[in-house]
Amino acid sequence: MQFKKVGVASDHAGQELRQMILDYLRSSGRETIDFGVDVRYDTAVDYPDYAALLAEAVLSGEINGAIAICGTGLGMAITGNKFRGIRACCIWDEYSSRMSRQHNNSNMLCLGSRTLNPYRAIDLVGIWLETSFSGERHQLRLDKIQEIEKRNFQPQ
Ligand code: RB5
């Protein structure tokens, strides 16, 4: 199982979908860590705080895959990609979910709770979890991303 321990986090907009995804992951026998947030329906939090928790957990090895949910998934992806070694992909259908693993070796899946039907979102999570990185020419492209990170990011 490539993603044995999966961390899940959301902002206020993604709370319900996060709970559904956690239930799905647990019922499929995966270890999970819930990074929150749990707030009242009228309380807003800032998505970068939750994307950062996930990114740091991936980089420390506490989890080996991350699922981040906000209204669109976009803010989570923007934040996740500020961390060296994180490949955060915002996906919207079966193809983008599969490609984010096969070609991009995504380690942070970003989903929009306001843009996706929740049952579809669960299917897309399943595809992401089960799809392997293809390597070969795609690894060469990831190596180039790593070179860009080296030039632009301070060492962590
Ligand atoms: C919150 O209203 C919303 O901006 C957030 O969930 C997310 O969509 C940001 O990218």
Side-chain angles (χ1 to χ4, degrees), residues 11-13 47 70-72 74-75 114:
D11 70 357
H12 54 287
Y47 60 81
C70 61
T72 56
L74 297 171
R114 295 174 179 159

Side-chain angles (χ1 to χ4, degrees), residues 81-97:
N81 284 316
K82 301 297 179 204
F83 288 79
R84 199 173 175 172
I86 295 296
R87 292 173 299 280
C89 292
C90 191
I91 60 100
W92 57 95
D93 62 8
E94 290 75 0
Y95 186 73
S96 57
S97 184

Side-chain angles (χ1 to χ4, degrees), residues 10-43:
S10 73
D11 70 357
H12 54 287
Q15 284 185 102
E16 281 180 28
L17 181 56
R18 187 182 93 254
Q19 288 304 337
M20 288 177 69
I21 290 173
L22 281 165
D23 290 346
Y24 165 74
L25 293 171
R26 288 171 184 149
S27 70
S28 64
R30 285 178 206 268
E31 274 186 78
T32 59
I33 300 185
D34 181 6
F35 289 88
V37 65
D38 291 302
V39 287
R40 280 167 48 107
Y41 74 95
D42 56 351
T43 306

